[in-house]
Amino acid sequence: MLTVPGFSANVVTIVIILVLAITRSNASRVPRISCTEKAVFRFLPFLGALVSFMDLILLLNKELHGNFIAYHEWLFRSSQLIVWVMKCLKDSCVVLLDVMFGISINIIRIKRASHKSSSMEDPLLSVDTDIEEGFHGDSGNAKSYWDHMTFRTITSVMNHGVIKQLGFDDLLSLPNDMEPSTCHDKLSSCWRVQLSSPNPFFFKAIFCAYGWPYLCLGLLKVFNDFIGFAGPLLLNKLIRFLQQDSMRWDGYLLALSLGLTSILKSFFDTQYSFLLGKLKLKLRSSIMTVIYQKVLCVTQSERSKFSEGEIQTFMSVDADRTVNLCNSFHDMWSLPLQIGVALYLLYTQVKFAFLSGLAITILLIPVNKWISELIASATEKMMKQKDERIRRTGEILTHIRTLKMYGWEHLFSSWLMETRSSEVKHLATRKYLDAWCVFFWATTPTLFSLFTFGLFTLMGHQLDAATVFTCLALFNNLISPLNSFPWVINGLIDAFISTRRLSRFLCCSEYKHVLKQKAECEDMAVIVDDASCTWSSSEEKQPNLVLNHVNLCLSKGSLVAIIGEVGSGKSSLLSAILGEMTLIHGSVHSSGSVAYVPQVPWIMSGTIRDNILFGKNYDSRRYSDTIRACALDVDISLMAGGDMAHIGSKGINLSGGQRARLALARAIYQGLDTFMLDDVLSAVDAQVARWILHNAILGPFMDQKTRILCTHNVQAISSADMVVVMDKGQVTWVGSSADLAVSSYTAFSPQNEFDALSDVQGKELSMADSIQVSHSHLPERDSNHVSEEVQEIVEAESRKEGRVELAVYKNYATFSGLFITVVIFLSAILMQASRNGNDLWLSFWVDTAGSSQIEYSISFYLVVLCIFCIINSALTLVRAFSFAFGGLRAAVQVHNTLLNKLIDAPVQFFDQTPGGRILNRFSSDLYTIDDSLPFILNILLANFVGLLGIAVILSYVQVFFLLLLLPFWFIYSKLQLEFLKFSPTSKDIKFAKSGYMKTPAGLQVNHLNFVKMNTRCYRSIVNVNTSEALRNCSLTGSKLVSLQKENEFFYRSTSRELRRLDSVSRSPIYATFTETLDGASTIRAFKSEDFFMEKFIEHVTLYQRTSYSEIIASLWLSLRLQLLAAVIISFVALMAVIGSHDYLPISFGTPGLVGLALSYAAPIVSLLGSFLTSFTETEKEMVSVERALQYMDIPQEELRGSQSLNLDWPFQGTIEFQNVTMRYMPSLPPALHGISFKVPGGMKVGVVGRTGAGKSSILNALFRLTSIYSGCIVVDGLDITDVPVRDLRRRFAVVPQSPFLFEGSLRDNLDPFQMNNDLKIWDILEKCHVKEEVEAAGGLDIHVKESGSSFSVGQRQLLCLARALLKLSKVLCLDECTANVDTKTASVLQSTIFSECRAMTVITIAHRISTVLNMDNILVLDRGNLVEQGNPQALLQDESSIFSSFAKASTM
């Protein structure tokens, strides 16, 4: 019945091939094709026709004679292999040829299509030519099919990895279809389609974008999986041949077939891994870019339902888990299929006895399902805690300076540790459940063999070597799918949880800018019509209205001043116009382009110029005029590198005034229609504020532009065309500045500020004079400017060179616990020994069962087998749980140690290190240490002891296997030391001749030992004599072993460098992402989303190139090792055949032992490849430990002191600076230069000076944030350097320049140590003029949002002041604490400070002169020097005093 379809199919195949050949030969225009394409189009069809023809002959013979013939007289003896293969594997060969032909045609088609698509741009050079070295432009056109199959494209990268430290320029280029922009467009378009459906799900969009190519990969996986079962079948035939003692040639054919099958599987396995790896990289870049684009587009109000840590986890963890879906999804059906086929083949060997083993497997399914559900629950809870931990970590890193001033580092780290403990609790649940999964599935093969063979013998069957060892080989095939299955289930669970989380975020409504285009509104820049807005997301049912029924029309070209008390809604009004708030009622429209300067300026990491240009082209004249208008010209000239000086994350190495002016310069340079400026003048001193007002805001750059300015500055209010007064979220008055003075809103009138300076009103200058004064004073300010922060360029992230040091492994073992490490190793070795003992006992059983010499009962054999099984199961359980415990302990220790080291690091470390770089350690690297590293270490150990067991058994059974080890080691080493053979390129020659390798400091780790060992080889390479180099470098096996011990491996050196590059290239992605989270509203206002998207795609492209090179390098080695393993299989099989013919003097033992050796040789292919992969992956994952250890070795603050403190210290608050000099860095000029002054206890001192004069440096020195170089600071008779630094900081109260509120209850924010009762807290809040706002918000138990976004900046400053007053310290330091509040509130606060702090020493740093007029003493700083001090009233009377000039400037 089967002959007719088989005959027909073969006839059709031959006919089609003939027709195609005839058609092609008659074609008029035959395109030119390469040799590879000729092989595909001619050789493969010819081979296919030959197979079909041979199949026809065999089918005809079967029809005529009733069975296949093994040999035929007209076939030569040399063709026996072909006939045998046709007989046994004809169907497999036909399918193989079809698949190879189809894949080859598609590859050629894609290559030709890409060539045609670029034909419009003919290159000047051939596509085969690379200007540099011929490997960077790996587009796929110049590489042969063989190079793609063997991954030779990576060899050039490896050659460079051996002779130098790899750089990003050395990496392979990405194929066009892997470019992140292309991948982003594909997934983004699919997601937009999903958004139009009722229930959008991100997984559906992923399937739409990549589902079809992924499903096509499944066909390749099916074929690859089925080839894996050819080994056990061939093994069965070979053992039966050996048992027959036949002298025929079949044994050799079977032995060679085992090797050929292994080779074939090696190619298919690596190709599947390569294509899957490419697809995963495409998906990863797609998800990353889609998440980033969403962050750019989603409004602040919509984003409020996610914490910043949660959003960062989307990028760092959820993206990776979703990508891992690619592995798990195919494995989900592939593994059961492999198990099913293995069970069927077992049935053919042991009949229904296999059902006993199957019963165990089925019984474990509900157990594993239950465990999987528990794992899913634990994972979801763990991810929530991980989000919270990353959020808290980010909060600590962002506000570390303030936390150190408060002495709250340990408080915050303890809160973080609580979150980490909760995370570890769920992680431990997951790990121990994983351990049970490992136990159940790892012991299944042993139990399977016990029950299967036991039942088979009890059924009356006789065990023989062929049956037993075929079954053992099938059991070995079962191990991988059975062990992998729980991880696959976990991976699917994690992926679906992550896709749900991502779907929720990506479904958020996006920012939409609405333009008003009506004839009656042409003259209006902004129209707000009965608008009610909230900061709550659109999902909240009862939003808290921040703006309530606001009506406002702002005409084009006007200067509008928006004023009001703290928390009245000024900043929210600007945000509503920008579209950042949720509009509940009414409408908000704006016309034209918008530039926005927020109240807290957003500075991106990069150069000064990058921050100003913001993606716009450089215009030198406009650029220089802009920085002068913003009073930045001399500031920039004093920086190292000028305007190309690198600014740290959030402008950490700039003063507050510099940040404000830089953000303003960015807005001016863009030249847009409308400028929204949120309190830009409060961060600068009076003279600079006046300069900016007249030269920037009122200057030619903004002339005829619409300017909306939230301010408390009296000069700006006086100059405004329109004044808008806000109160409690409503517009209460609109009019001109002239009408404001006679209105009912006199509290905001500029006249109030003049009243405060009544002593100097007689000395006022005219406006024209004031501008002239501004010009005269500005150069003086500029020339005297010294930045108060570190102007050091942020260093590029460092990475180690060479192999991961042994110390890293030792440290990880120490973190895990040395006892646990020993237990893990012993249990793994004994577990493997028990399994080998189990197999040896089976071989003994089959040998003695048919012998008459020794006879035991079946029960005896089964009892011993059962003992081995119990021992193996117990040791597996010990290993699984000890690994889980050790991995958890290491994860806890690494996190705690890393956190403690960072908490104790000096502020300078955080100034010079981007927060994203540190956060990368706590997110991606720690996730690796938590999860990936223990997993891959477990696999590595299992593979190692498995290989060790195989080597011992093979050496015991076949002595000749020991002879194979030396050449095998030689070939294995040559693979990794292939740099001895490479031909130097022009760049390599230049590199060698340059003397780089001769410089001791420049010697690379990879070459140092090599040069010491083989000077002649080194000399030959430097002299570019390749043949001599090869001759001199021809090392014997023993030298090679010695060299391998002392020198770096060819592959491993490249692999390590690629992993380090991978980690380094990942940091900018997270740093940019974190930075964009902070500045998204600014980016949207400037319509710069595309510019930042391009920058992010550049970072992702670099990350992709690193990962792409890493995948190819890994598969390069994997393929070669699997081919070596195929040689081992062939060798063992051939030796067994030769031994059975008695051609050798040494006996290879009984059939049972020979069968055992062959069954152990078969899994070497997968096990050796898996070992090297896991070994390499372990080394890669260890880079995360290495990176964590880098930050465990950072400088630490000097925390201890020789002087213990009394509980009541400081007693009086007397502060004395004695000739204090302080530098932020040794290379920078002094920030304080020989400062000496004394503040008696209880005195109120004001510190004034122009921006950057050194005012905040006094507080930095007092709080020991920066060490002083000379002099001393004495507080109540104690030198503060002798006082423990945390005790010192806790004894002082401070209100920092940047107000700090953390996420939590308001009560915890005001009194985190619970030292005051509610009555006291409410009393202080009332005195700080913020009680009403707190009551309206919900009282002391309200939840303060991240960074205090529940309150305005001014309200945050008042709450920080309340916190300081609650502390009841003898020393209170105020750093611009009233800069962001209105003049009325400022005056109320001043009276509060004087009444509440009568017995306290108060040091006030101020730009607003009215806040320091009533002080007891004034310190005037300039360029780090104390230039003037005295009573403020006396200094005001002295017209020549510097303080008097400040006072005049503030009134004009």
Side-chain angles (χ1 to χ4, degrees), residues 526-561:
V526 176
I527 299 175
V528 183
D529 184 16
D530 196 26
S532 297
C533 302
T534 179
W535 282 114
S536 304
S537 69
S538 56
E539 293 180 2
E540 290 197 26
K541 295 180 180 178
Q542 294 181 338
N544 180 29
L545 292 181
V546 178
L547 297 178
N548 194 7
H549 299 287
V550 173
N551 290 282
L552 190 63
C553 290
L554 307 180
S555 57
K556 292 181 179 179
S558 60
L559 172 59
V560 181

Side-chain angles (χ1 to χ4, degrees), residues 238 251-253 255-256 1129-1139 1158:
L238 182 58
Y252 296 104
L253 296 174
L256 291 174
I1129 293 172
S1130 302
F1131 176 83
V1132 173
L1134 285 171
M1135 287 295 105
V1137 174
I1138 293 170
L1158 288 170

Side-chain angles (χ1 to χ4, degrees), residues 1156-1219:
L1156 180 64
L1158 288 170
S1159 67
Y1160 267 54
I1164 281 185
V1165 177
S1166 57
L1167 197 58
L1168 192 59
S1170 179
F1171 171 72
L1172 258 295
T1173 302
S1174 57
F1175 181 76
T1176 305
E1177 285 299 318
T1178 299
E1179 199 168 37
K1180 291 175 185 175
E1181 301 290 356
M1182 272 292 169
V1183 171
S1184 293
V1185 180
E1186 181 184 72
R1187 284 161 56 81
L1189 288 170
Q1190 281 180 349
Y1191 279 17
M1192 293 181 193
D1193 196 29
I1194 55 178
Q1196 301 287 284
E1197 282 189 306
E1198 187 59 48
L1199 299 175
R1200 298 179 180 177
S1202 59
Q1203 186 73 46
S1204 59
L1205 293 178
N1206 265 317
L1207 291 176
D1208 297 330
W1209 186 91
F1211 312 108
Q1212 298 176 336
T1214 302
I1215 301 172
E1216 185 175 0
F1217 276 58
Q1218 298 177 2
N1219 198 29

